[in-house]
Amino acid sequence: MTMTTAGTIFVLSLVVALVAVHKPFGDYMFRVVSGERQSRVERGVYRLVGVNPAAEQSWGVYARSVLAFSAVSVLFLYAFQRVQDRLWLSLGFESVVPHGAWNTAVSFVTNTNWQSYSGESTMGHLVQMAGLAVQNFVSAAVGIAVAVALVRGFARSRTGELGNFWVDLTRIVLRILLPIAVLGALMLMLGGAVQNLSAGTDVTTLTGGTQTITGGPVASQEVIKELGTNGGGFYNVNSAHPFENPTAWTNWLEIFLILLIPFSLPRVFGRMVGQNRQGYAIAAVMAILALASITLTNVFELTGNGTVPQAVGAALEGKEVRFDASNSATFAAATTLTSTGAVNSFHDSFTSLGGMMTMVNMMLGEVAPGGTGAGLYGLLILAVITVFVAGLMVGRTPEYLGKKIGSREIKFASLYFLITPVLVLIGTAAAFATGNNSTALNVGPHGLSEVLYAFTSASNNNGSAFAGITVNTTWWDTALGLCMLLGRFLPIIFVLALAGSLARQAPTPASEGTLPTHRPLFVGMVVGVTVILVALTFLPALALGPLAEGL
């Protein structure tokens, strides 16, 4: 069997599995976020934090709750790292330096999981478990909660209420993320992933030297890092490490976990607005963009230029032989199409056009299918923009799901879309203007690509990297931390403001002039708007980096 054939079967099996779980898992999530009954554990949580689960919130209160919870999380995680040397299971590691602790705290709270440190030689087990892994759960839940609030804005009328953030957060963690994480961790352990509290084992290498291999609670962190589209690895080499991702089938499982929630959320959207076909339309947009990206990334990695890649049939540099080039390319596409950022290969070693695809995936806004929650609300923003553009074409006030898209709504949608390009381009320019663009390995177009990738990854809350830059400096930790914060929470504010504006509207009956938003024409229009907006915004930067290198 050729590498191409094996890779095709690998992708098709993922498609079949995701299609199979889309409806039942989507319906389950719909019942979780729409149900009214509270479990005993949930009621205990509400009493502990002083929340009335029956009280709903306006968009402003919902947004302030998100920001307050995230601010406390950043402070807690920062302090946790700074006192690490005094904690149990610190493994003898020193406290994390201030700029590194700041960057890491912001990174995990914003669901970015950018890592400017080596996990196995920097973080003790307690910080990994009670600090980083906890944020993997709650940051993912925040994204889903915001997406649900936006969908409520479309589904409700004549009200200013969007639900209760604390109820949404608690239910999503306890009923969705935690059960799947437990089952997933057990499966990874069966596959060979490590789960212990070992400080390390000394082994003799093939050359006769001695090496300490660190153990730890790896499987439990690995599963939520993928399921919650977080991406931060227990080890420096992330999912390329055999303790995190031992075999080809665990590699398949991890990609499946990455895509599971984002591809099932459109079903939740359809159920909540009372039109399942609307959910199928959104899922179709995600699928078209995802399959196009996965195909192109595989083609570029399997047919890379150069004597050696052509001789062996693929660009194998920087890739694990147990995954081969095709499955590594599929993992790279999945992790950058979502906000995961996990890696099982070295993106910096990809072909110029293959590496470009990982950047383009993030520049699309990570909407195919995107991060947990963030992908759905990002694509719904693009759907709103598409409806607005279509309305301009026919001279009619645009409508989406019975809600008019007026000047207020399109301003929120436009501001949402503009935030990331502004952060990426200004950040890249600032790095070159201040002399912080120096790379350890590369200059020229690839050096530019490394800087551009870093700010694209941080601003889109992805976390992967072209790792030729030394980024564990005060300037880089501060700059990327600011991009992560602004790239996460400014869009969330605009999403919730849009949701509040939509929820207050009275429903508008459909007429002959209403654009059907469940048909192939609309699906194609959303795909076109998504690609065109990205091309117009980032094409000059891509032309100076990966395109110039490829040509």
Side-chain angles (χ1 to χ4, degrees), residues 108-157:
F108 277 77
V109 171
T110 58
N111 199 243
T112 309
N113 293 44
W114 173 274
Q115 294 176 288
S116 60
Y117 62 89
S118 176
E120 65 266 44
S121 60
T122 305
M123 301 293 180
H125 291 342
L126 188 62
V127 173
Q128 294 267 25
M129 290 186 294
L132 306 185
V134 167
Q135 289 306 316
N136 283 350
F137 280 94
V138 295
S139 65
V142 167
I144 299 174
V146 172
V148 169
L150 176 59
V151 177
R152 289 187 184 122
F154 284 109
R156 296 180 176 183
S157 301

Side-chain angles (χ1 to χ4, degrees), residues 14-212:
L14 279 170
V15 172
V16 171
L18 291 169
V19 170
V21 301
H22 172 81
K23 181 177 179 180
F25 185 59
D27 288 345
Y28 171 73
M29 288 196 291
F30 166 73
R31 291 192 295 271
V32 168
V33 299
S34 300
E36 296 182 357
R37 298 184 61 182
Q38 314 290 345
S39 70
R40 181 177 300 177
V41 174
E42 291 165 354
R43 289 195 296 270
V45 172
Y46 303 144
R47 285 194 295 269
L48 181 64
V49 298
V51 171
N52 177 9
E56 295 211 353
Q57 300 172 324
S58 65
W59 81 264
V61 177
Y62 203 103
R64 288 195 294 273
S65 298
V66 171
L67 295 176
F69 176 75
S70 300
V72 171
S73 297
V74 169
L75 292 174
F76 173 80
L77 189 52
Y78 175 84
F80 211 20
Q81 296 173 81
R82 295 291 293 140
V83 300
Q84 173 180 246
D85 56 330
R86 306 174 190 175
L87 299 176
W88 179 57
L89 292 177
S90 67
L91 306 184
F93 296 145
E94 297 293 327
S95 62
V96 182
V97 296
H99 60 84
W102 140 264
N103 183 276
T104 302
V106 169
S107 177
F108 277 77
V109 171
T110 58
N111 199 243
T112 309
N113 293 44
W114 173 274
Q115 294 176 288
S116 60
Y117 62 89
S118 176
E120 65 266 44
S121 60
T122 305
M123 301 293 180
H125 291 342
L126 188 62
V127 173
Q128 294 267 25
M129 290 186 294
L132 306 185
V134 167
Q135 289 306 316
N136 283 350
F137 280 94
V138 295
S139 65
V142 167
I144 299 174
V146 172
V148 169
L150 176 59
V151 177
R152 289 187 184 122
F154 284 109
R156 296 180 176 183
S157 301
R158 301 186 182 93
T159 180
E161 298 177 339
L162 297 176
N164 187 307
F165 168 72
W166 306 104
V167 172
D168 292 337
L169 179 74
T170 303
R171 286 181 174 180
I172 291 166
V173 170
L174 295 181
R175 300 192 195 182
I176 298 176
L177 298 176
L178 193 57
I180 300 176
V182 171
L183 293 175
L186 292 174
M187 294 182 68
L188 288 178
M189 290 167 64
L190 289 173
V194 170
Q195 183 73 16
N196 57 43
L197 294 177
S198 170
T201 302
D202 292 332
V203 298
T204 301
T205 66
L206 293 176
T207 60
T210 301
Q211 180 179 352
T212 300

Side-chain angles (χ1 to χ4, degrees), residues 181-270:
V182 171
L183 293 175
L186 292 174
M187 294 182 68
L188 288 178
M189 290 167 64
L190 289 173
V194 170
Q195 183 73 16
N196 57 43
L197 294 177
S198 170
T201 302
D202 292 332
V203 298
T204 301
T205 66
L206 293 176
T207 60
T210 301
Q211 180 179 352
T212 300
I213 300 179
T214 306
V218 179
S220 56
Q221 186 162 323
E222 182 74 9
V223 65
I224 189 56
K225 111 180 180 188
E226 313 294 16
L227 178 65
T229 61
N230 296 281
F234 193 94
Y235 296 97
N236 186 44
V237 294
N238 209 277
S239 292
H241 199 291
F243 286 3
E244 291 194 26
N245 190 7
T247 66
W249 75 261
T250 61
N251 191 57
W252 185 96
L253 175 62
E254 291 189 13
I255 298 176
F256 175 76
L257 290 171
I258 289 171
L259 301 175
L260 174 60
I261 293 177
F263 264 124
S264 298
L265 279 173
R267 175 69 179 183
V268 180
F269 167 65

Side-chain angles (χ1 to χ4, degrees), residues 359-422:
M359 276 192 277
V360 170
N361 291 340
M362 294 183 288
M363 291 171 177
L364 285 173
E366 296 173 331
V367 295
T372 51
L376 178 60
Y377 65 65
L379 194 51
L380 290 178
I381 292 289
L382 287 167
V384 167
I385 295 174
T386 302
V387 168
F388 181 77
V389 172
L392 293 178
M393 291 179 178
V394 299
R396 175 184 170 85
T397 301
E399 303 167 9
Y400 188 45
L401 299 176
K403 300 297 178 69
K404 289 186 177 296
I405 307 302
S407 61
R408 180 181 176 86
E409 288 74 25
I410 199 62
K411 286 176 183 175
F412 289 138
S414 300
L415 287 170
Y416 174 96
F417 176 79
L418 290 171
I419 289 168
T420 301
V422 167

Side-chain angles (χ1 to χ4, degrees), residues 208-514:
T210 301
Q211 180 179 352
T212 300
I213 300 179
T214 306
V218 179
S220 56
Q221 186 162 323
E222 182 74 9
V223 65
I224 189 56
K225 111 180 180 188
E226 313 294 16
L227 178 65
T229 61
N230 296 281
F234 193 94
Y235 296 97
N236 186 44
V237 294
N238 209 277
S239 292
H241 199 291
F243 286 3
E244 291 194 26
N245 190 7
T247 66
W249 75 261
T250 61
N251 191 57
W252 185 96
L253 175 62
E254 291 189 13
I255 298 176
F256 175 76
L257 290 171
I258 289 171
L259 301 175
L260 174 60
I261 293 177
F263 264 124
S264 298
L265 279 173
R267 175 69 179 183
V268 180
F269 167 65
R271 289 291 304 272
M272 290 183 69
V273 299
Q275 300 181 54
N276 286 334
R277 57 189 183 181
Q278 298 289 347
Y280 292 138
I282 294 299
V285 175
M286 291 179 173
I288 291 171
L289 292 171
L291 288 174
S293 172
I294 291 171
T295 300
L296 287 173
T297 307
N298 271 274
V299 168
F300 292 145
E301 291 306 298
L302 292 172
T303 60
N305 293 329
T307 303
V308 173
Q310 292 179 357
V312 300
L316 293 172
E317 179 185 341
K319 299 178 177 69
E320 282 293 310
V321 293
R322 66 184 187 278
F323 302 141
D324 71 48
S326 179
N327 292 351
S328 297
T330 299
F331 194 104
T335 198
T336 51
L337 284 166
T338 62
S339 64
T340 309
V343 295
N344 74 347
S345 56
F346 199 50
H347 290 188
D348 206 18
S349 295
F350 274 37
T351 63
S352 55
L353 297 183
M356 180 190 71
M357 286 306 303
T358 61
M359 276 192 277
V360 170
N361 291 340
M362 294 183 288
M363 291 171 177
L364 285 173
E366 296 173 331
V367 295
T372 51
L376 178 60
Y377 65 65
L379 194 51
L380 290 178
I381 292 289
L382 287 167
V384 167
I385 295 174
T386 302
V387 168
F388 181 77
V389 172
L392 293 178
M393 291 179 178
V394 299
R396 175 184 170 85
T397 301
E399 303 167 9
Y400 188 45
L401 299 176
K403 300 297 178 69
K404 289 186 177 296
I405 307 302
S407 61
R408 180 181 176 86
E409 288 74 25
I410 199 62
K411 286 176 183 175
F412 289 138
S414 300
L415 287 170
Y416 174 96
F417 176 79
L418 290 171
I419 289 168
T420 301
V422 167
L423 294 174
V424 172
L425 299 178
I426 289 180
T428 302
F432 281 90
T434 58
N436 286 283
N437 60 299
S438 60
T439 67
L441 301 174
N442 297 289
V443 294
H446 197 77
L448 171 64
S449 295
E450 290 178 340
V451 176
L452 180 63
Y453 194 108
F455 280 100
T456 301
S457 178
S459 302
N460 282 281
N461 301 133
N462 185 270
S464 60
F466 271 13
I469 306 176
T470 300
V471 293
N472 58 341
T473 66
T474 300
W475 191 92
W476 274 102
D477 279 340
T478 303
L480 294 178
L482 290 173
C483 286
M484 292 178 218
L485 278 177
L486 297 175
R488 173 70 163 179
F489 295 113
L490 284 181
I492 283 178
I493 291 172
F494 292 128
V495 165
L496 293 174
L498 175 62
S501 179
L502 294 171
R504 286 192 295 270
Q505 290 188 28
T508 302
S511 65
E512 293 183 358
T514 301

